[in-house]
Amino acid sequence: MTDRAECLRLLFEFVQSGDVEQAGTTAGTIIAYISTLPGLEAQVAALDDLRANLTSRCEAVGLSGEAEHRHELIEDAMEQARSTLEAKSASSMS
């Protein structure tokens, strides 16, 4: 089942390992999870939740080096996805 917990697990594993193949699986899992949520507001909220929880986990283990850099890249990608969803929401309202 593709759900929030699975997304967080995969995100955290990717941040720690840097496995490129896992990056694709992780991205696909997040897209599958987000796309099941009803409405753009719920999707944006889910991205915010994933991002906050990933940050919390990463801070708890004290990432450094490449893992910290991967975490920053994931944060940026999630922010871009959030911005895209918000833009889509704004354009559908006009």
Side-chain angles (χ1 to χ4, degrees), residues 1-68:
M1 176 176 213
T2 302
D3 63 4
R4 177 184 171 276
E6 182 68 1
C7 290
L8 284 170
R9 183 186 69 76
L10 290 170
L11 278 167
F12 191 66
E13 284 181 10
F14 170 70
V15 166
Q16 290 184 311
S17 72
D19 182 354
V20 174
E21 289 181 22
Q22 187 175 7
T25 300
T26 302
T29 301
I30 292 169
I31 290 168
Y33 165 61
I34 296 295
S35 68
T36 65
L37 300 174
L40 294 173
E41 287 181 17
Q43 294 171 354
V44 168
L47 278 175
D48 288 344
D49 175 66
L50 287 173
R51 201 166 115 200
N53 278 280
L54 178 63
T55 297
S56 177
R57 287 183 182 196
C58 290
E59 288 173 353
V61 299
L63 295 178
S64 62
E66 290 296 317
E68 183 177 15

